[in-house]
Amino acid sequence: LLIDPTGRKMSKSEGNVIWLSDSADEQFGKVMSWPDTMILAGFELCTELSHGELTAIDGELQSGVNPRDVKLRLARAITARLSGEEAAQRAQGNFLATFSGGETPDDAPEIAVSEGETLVDVLARSGTVASKTEARRLIESGAVETASGERLTDPRAPAPKSTVLRIGKRRFLKIQ
């Protein structure tokens, strides 16, 4: 079993699985969100590397190489296995542009805002969040911000127009 650092198994009930139905970007992002302590186990259990290759990766990690670089290889290998090499390459590019370059993903959903619609209403209607309750919780906790870095903390505020919202770490919404 692949377990996280707290000893919880990767499972549906824990909500920490990578689904075959996830997009390549989601698959890649989920692997990149794993803690560094899961890198070696991820390679061992989710790829077909030989014992020698696993030993080499362990050596890299022990020698002080940046774990992010090794995790990028793991994410690409897992995503390629689940979605194909081309999709994995595209997902890696999107991930690096979004999280290292600060860009908005090209495939971020877009939504038009109606007059008087609140931020909670727009997030829920867009499908970016599961419910108005989740939208309210994210907004109040400071997890929603504009592309310029302004945190939106009032769930009753009117939805901003002509901007990109970042919801949590990996979700984006373009508002017209």
Side-chain angles (χ1 to χ4, degrees):
L1 293 176
L2 186 58
I3 58 171
D4 68 17
T6 64
R8 296 181 309 161
K9 66 180 179 169
M10 302 291 281
S11 69
K12 177 181 173 184
S13 59
E14 293 293 339
N16 58 4
V17 296
I18 299 172
W19 297 102
L20 293 174
S21 60
D22 285 343
S23 70
D25 288 329
E26 289 173 311
Q27 293 167 353
F28 197 94
K30 286 180 179 182
V31 174
M32 290 302 294
S33 72
W34 291 356
D36 295 345
T37 56
M38 290 179 60
I39 294 173
L40 200 56
F43 272 112
E44 182 179 359
L45 298 173
C46 301
T47 68
E48 296 182 3
L49 296 181
S50 69
H51 178 69
E53 290 169 312
L54 291 172
T55 302
I57 290 170
D58 188 32
E60 285 180 55
L61 292 169
Q62 298 299 326
S63 72
V65 75
N66 187 342
R68 176 189 160 268
D69 297 337
V70 180
K71 200 185 304 181
L72 281 168
R73 292 193 334 240
L74 174 62
R76 183 158 174 175
I78 291 173
T79 304
R81 186 170 190 164
L82 299 174
S83 297
E85 182 57 41
E86 185 177 315
Q89 183 177 358
R90 192 172 44 256
Q92 181 174 350
N94 290 342
F95 182 88
L96 290 172
T98 302
F99 296 101
S100 296
E103 297 177 17
T104 301
D106 294 335
D107 62 347
E110 294 184 29
I111 191 166
V113 177
S114 302
E115 193 63 38
E117 205 169 12
T118 67
L119 186 55
V120 167
D121 294 333
V122 170
L123 290 177
R125 186 169 57 87
S126 71
T128 307
V129 296
S131 65
K132 287 186 176 185
T133 302
E134 181 186 1
R136 197 171 293 109
R137 181 185 57 77
L138 288 167
I139 294 166
E140 289 173 347
S141 69
V144 178
E145 63 183 44
T146 64
S148 63
E150 175 190 356
R151 291 200 187 279
L152 305 175
T153 57
D154 182 3
R156 295 177 303 279
K161 294 184 180 179
S162 302
T163 190
V164 175
L165 296 181
R166 183 176 186 148
I167 302 102
K169 292 183 180 181
R170 297 183 306 164
R171 291 180 282 181
F172 294 85
L173 179 64
K174 296 176 184 175
I175 298 181
Q176 300 174 1

